[in-house]
Amino acid sequence: MDTAASTPEGSGWYEIRIQGRLDSRWSARFAGMTLTTGDGQTLLTGPVVDQAALHGLLHQLRDIGLPLVSVRQVHTDDAPHAPHHRDTTGA
């Protein structure tokens, strides 16, 4: 069985942390990703279909101009199932 066709290289759930706050209006630009803000950072969490999609997402973040803090692939058991935007700052 060829698993490469069913599971593309780099596919899975990712947590991408950036310095700065993205508010809910950015949700549409990062469709399928959950945006969580707090402590001066934004965490984008969600599925990425392959390496090309991951690079495209990182290019979008670069174009916004906010510094990238970390990119981490997580197991689907660890992946949260939250709304597309959650503001944890209480503001």
Side-chain angles (χ1 to χ4, degrees):
M1 176 181 209
D2 183 8
T3 58
S6 60
T7 308
E9 181 75 24
S11 68
W13 281 79
Y14 282 82
E15 291 181 352
I16 303 170
R17 188 174 304 275
I18 57 173
Q19 190 66 42
R21 180 185 161 131
L22 291 177
D23 60 26
S24 60
R25 67 186 171 100
W26 291 98
S27 300
R29 186 165 184 178
F30 302 107
M33 301 294 283
T34 300
L35 277 68
T36 307
T37 58
D39 297 329
Q41 295 186 343
T42 300
L43 179 66
L44 282 80
T45 307
V48 176
V49 296
D50 58 19
Q51 282 287 307
L54 177 61
H55 284 272
L57 183 59
L58 294 174
H59 284 212
Q60 288 183 52
L61 292 169
R62 178 203 61 205
D63 292 347
I64 293 171
L66 297 175
L68 182 65
V69 175
S70 66
V71 177
R72 183 171 79 104
Q73 187 175 21
V74 295
H75 299 288
T76 52
D77 294 343
D78 300 336
H81 300 285
H84 288 292
H85 182 266
R86 185 174 69 225
D87 187 347
T88 58
T89 62

